[in-house]
Amino acid sequence: MMVYLSLVTSAAILLIGYVMAMSSKELVRLLISLELMFGAVFLALMPLFTIPDLTTSAFSIAVLTVFTSGGELMILIAAMVTFSKKFRSMSTDDIVAGGDSP
Amino acid sequence: MDTVSLAMVAMCCFAVLTAFAALFTKDTFYSALYMSATLVTIAGMFALNNVQPVFVLITFIFVGAIGAVTVALAAMYRDTRPKIQIDFVWFLPAIITFGAIFNAIFGLKNVPSAFSGSEVSAFVENYAVFALFFFTLAILLMLAVVKFVRREEV
């Protein structure tokens, strides 16, 4: 029951984060949606802790997930601050990539 | 249903509600606060099931560092315009993906679960190089971010 509940909640939060990312027109909101999705991923790890032989491995996976997602978000925050300084905007419409014209 | 299960149900409902609040609120500052509440509730679920090390990791590193910076950023670039403008092109893949996820989860409905505590000492003994690697990675990332922002300031 606990495993089922945590996974359903995880999927629901992932869906909410996904909808938020799709609808965001601003970088801060996009960052918030990413953090929500990472939160859903943390919650999806919970069933691993129900298997006694896997608790140490599960903890190492949790450390891996928290550190990598934290690092990724830190880089994203730095990029957002730089973007804001350069373009005086936080709108996703102002972001160009590759061969896009500004 | 025992007390732990009831608390778990309440926390799951609270996490989903705060996530919805983060989605629907117009103010980005409140959205960031609701997101932090969701993450703290998720961490609380781990603590409730006797997995305290993960609770500490999520609360201190994710909410305490990244979440706090996000709240500060949201306060700095506060925006209160309505933002729910979904691009419907993404709806079909989203429906297929989440349909598959919920279908897979439904099969786990009757799986029994009993949580056992996680030992940090066992982790450090078995994964010493792994722990050292992440400590180094965190320092390198922070140095890279500081250098990145400083270079743009010049």
Side-chain angles (χ1 to χ4, degrees):
Chain A
M1 180 65 185
M2 291 276 213
V3 167
Y4 181 67
L5 197 60
S6 64
L7 285 177
V8 167
T9 310
S10 166
I13 294 173
L14 187 71
L15 180 60
I16 293 166
Y18 187 81
V19 170
M20 200 170 173
M22 279 198 300
S23 66
S24 65
K25 299 287 175 196
E26 193 195 353
L27 287 177
V28 175
R29 209 168 270 267
L30 191 67
L31 178 70
I32 292 168
S33 72
L34 281 177
E35 289 188 33
L36 274 180
M37 286 195 264
F38 280 129
V41 171
F42 299 150
L43 196 55
L45 290 177
M46 194 175 267
L48 284 178
F49 288 93
T50 59
I51 305 163
D53 292 340
L54 282 182
T55 48
T56 310
S57 305
F59 183 63
S60 65
I61 292 170
V63 172
L64 175 82
T65 317
V66 170
F67 271 80
T68 46
S69 57
E72 186 183 328
L73 290 171
M74 204 188 296
I75 297 287
L76 183 63
I77 288 167
M80 279 169 56
V81 171
T82 310
F83 180 83
S84 163
K85 278 182 185 170
K86 203 166 182 176
F87 296 101
R88 303 279 170 210
S89 166
M90 288 296 263
S91 172
T92 50
D93 295 333
D94 294 329
I95 298 172
V96 289
D100 290 357
S101 56
Chain B
M1 197 181 269
D2 61 325
T3 317
V4 176
S5 301
L6 274 176
M8 185 75 179
V9 172
M11 288 175 96
C12 286
C13 292
F14 186 74
V16 173
L17 281 177
T18 48
F20 267 119
L23 171 66
F24 288 117
T25 187
K26 289 178 183 175
D27 194 330
T28 47
F29 175 66
Y30 287 108
S31 184
L33 285 181
Y34 284 127
M35 178 274 298
S36 297
T38 309
L39 288 176
V40 169
T41 314
I42 288 170
M45 285 183 217
F46 280 97
L48 184 72
N49 290 301
N50 201 24
V51 193
Q52 283 87 0
V54 180
F55 165 76
V56 172
L57 265 180
I58 295 175
T59 312
F60 280 77
I61 295 180
F62 212 78
V63 184
I66 307 292
V69 174
T70 307
V71 172
L73 265 182
M76 196 186 290
Y77 302 105
R78 207 164 177 172
D79 197 350
T80 52
R81 285 171 293 171
K83 284 292 187 300
I84 304 295
Q85 298 163 1
I86 297 170
D87 188 355
F88 288 96
V89 175
W90 290 96
F91 247 107
L92 187 64
I95 289 170
I96 292 169
T97 306
F98 284 96
I101 289 173
F102 279 107
N103 185 43
I105 292 171
F106 189 73
L108 299 169
K109 194 173 183 180
N110 296 319
V111 173
S113 56
F115 286 88
S116 52
S118 170
E119 290 293 328
V120 178
S121 56
F123 167 72
V124 173
E125 280 170 19
N126 295 335
Y127 297 96
V129 179
F130 186 72
L132 188 69
F133 168 74
F134 275 107
F135 186 68
T136 317
L137 177 73
I139 292 172
L140 283 175
L141 268 176
M142 284 175 214
L143 285 173
V145 167
V146 170
K147 198 174 175 184
F148 179 55
V149 173
R150 275 191 175 175
R151 193 180 56 195
E152 291 297 327
E153 276 176 356
V154 175

